[in-house]
Amino acid sequence: AQSVSQHNHHVILSEAASLELGCNYSYGGTVNLFWYVQYPGQHLQLLLKYFSGDPLVKGIKGFEAEFIKSKFSFNLRKPSVQWSDTAEYFCAVGNTGFQKLVFGTGTRLLVSP
Amino acid sequence: DARVTQTPRHKVTEMGQEVTMRCQPILGHNTVFWYRQTMMQGLELLAYFRNRAPLDDSGMPKDRFSAEMPDATLATLKIQPSEPRDSAVYFCASDTGLGAGSGELFFGEGSRLTVL
């Protein structure tokens, strides 16, 4: 069965700081990887996804993530955060085929102006 | 603008009462998921359906929870009897079910349940 670990539960940054959120997954087969974002009071939205090809994927709003197969990791990065990036970020792994997505417990990011 | 619609958005009820949450997936999406979000557990997958057939409901407490898709435009999640520990936000999501070709879930706004 798939599982996802997000080690940082809460992150506080100042505007313009760089961001890296960790995500590690456990699954023996081929996986699809996702980052979703949940802004305060809103539903989850897709930030970016990785299926195959270039392990560095770029998403919306300047976010990117790198798939490192040997480390079972898919860390999310942004070089310079903004106050509007305050949200909860979820890493998710899906098994190819049925696309059952398993989510990590989430990381709450607070960006102070 | 296609979206997943959930009702009710908020529900406050007393312990022991029956609660039914409804979800209308995006037209043409054939896979529907129910997730529960709590502070302690994060997002937990309760059940999911493809072409209205349940594929996995192992995340759902069987004694009090039930999930159905009476038709392609309606998914329901029922709790009977409800308990305070069921208080959470319940999200419905749908996708096209194309497998590796898609993988993007479209989430509803959620149903916030409070059981007193």
Side-chain angles (χ1 to χ4, degrees):
Chain A
Q2 307 127 265
S3 68
V4 181
S5 296
Q6 292 182 244
H7 308 296
N8 312 103
H9 298 293
H10 293 88
V11 173
I12 301 173
L13 294 173
S14 299
E15 275 194 314
S18 64
L19 169 72
E20 181 160 4
L21 302 182
C23 172
N24 288 91
Y25 69 91
S26 173
Y27 183 65
T30 302
V31 294
N32 297 332
L33 297 160
F34 307 81
W35 276 96
Y36 280 78
V37 61
Q38 185 178 27
Y39 296 104
Q42 296 187 25
H43 60 286
L44 279 83
Q45 306 167 48
L46 182 68
L47 203 53
L48 49 79
K49 60 186 177 183
Y50 171 81
F51 286 164
S52 63
D54 188 344
L56 184 63
V57 293
K58 295 189 183 300
I60 59 172
K61 303 185 180 184
F63 285 91
E64 65 180 30
E66 184 175 14
F67 170 51
I68 303 179
K69 189 175 181 179
S70 61
K71 294 184 178 181
F72 297 90
S73 70
F74 190 57
N75 293 353
L76 180 71
R77 299 194 293 248
K78 185 171 183 178
S80 176
V81 295
Q82 301 173 320
W83 175 79
S84 58
D85 294 324
T86 293
E88 190 159 14
Y89 294 81
F90 293 89
C91 182
V93 58
N95 54 325
T96 54
F98 287 111
Q99 290 303 323
K100 169 184 171 180
L101 285 191
V102 175
F103 286 83
T105 51
T107 298
R108 288 181 178 266
L109 171 65
L110 174 63
V111 180
S112 57
Chain B
D1 184 23
R3 62 180 65 185
V4 175
T5 304
Q6 289 186 246
T7 57
R9 292 291 312 279
H10 302 273
K11 175 74 175 179
V12 179
T13 190
E14 293 186 344
M15 183 173 62
Q17 296 298 305
E18 177 180 302
V19 175
T20 298
M21 289 167 276
R22 295 177 173 81
C23 168
Q24 181 177 14
I26 292 173
L27 190 64
H29 284 192
N30 68 350
T31 308
V32 176
F33 302 79
W34 282 105
Y35 284 89
R36 176 170 63 183
Q37 184 179 34
T38 61
M39 288 288 291
M40 296 300 295
Q41 301 295 331
L43 269 172
E44 303 172 274
L45 177 64
L46 297 176
Y48 76 106
F49 296 77
R50 172 157 293 166
N51 296 321
R52 297 175 56 199
L55 289 187
D56 187 347
D57 61 0
S58 59
M60 204 165 63
K62 299 293 191 304
D63 55 339
R64 299 183 299 107
F65 284 61
S66 61
E68 295 179 345
M69 278 200 77
D71 61 60
T73 64
L74 176 64
T76 62
L77 179 66
K78 186 179 295 186
I79 308 173
Q80 168 63 17
S82 58
E83 297 181 1
R85 59 179 168 155
D86 301 329
S87 298
V89 182
Y90 291 81
F91 285 103
C92 175
S94 70
D95 78 8
T96 59
L98 293 177
S102 173
E104 176 178 357
L105 297 192
F106 293 82
F107 281 82
E109 300 283 342
S111 293
R112 181 177 294 276
L113 174 65
T114 301
V115 183
L116 303 175

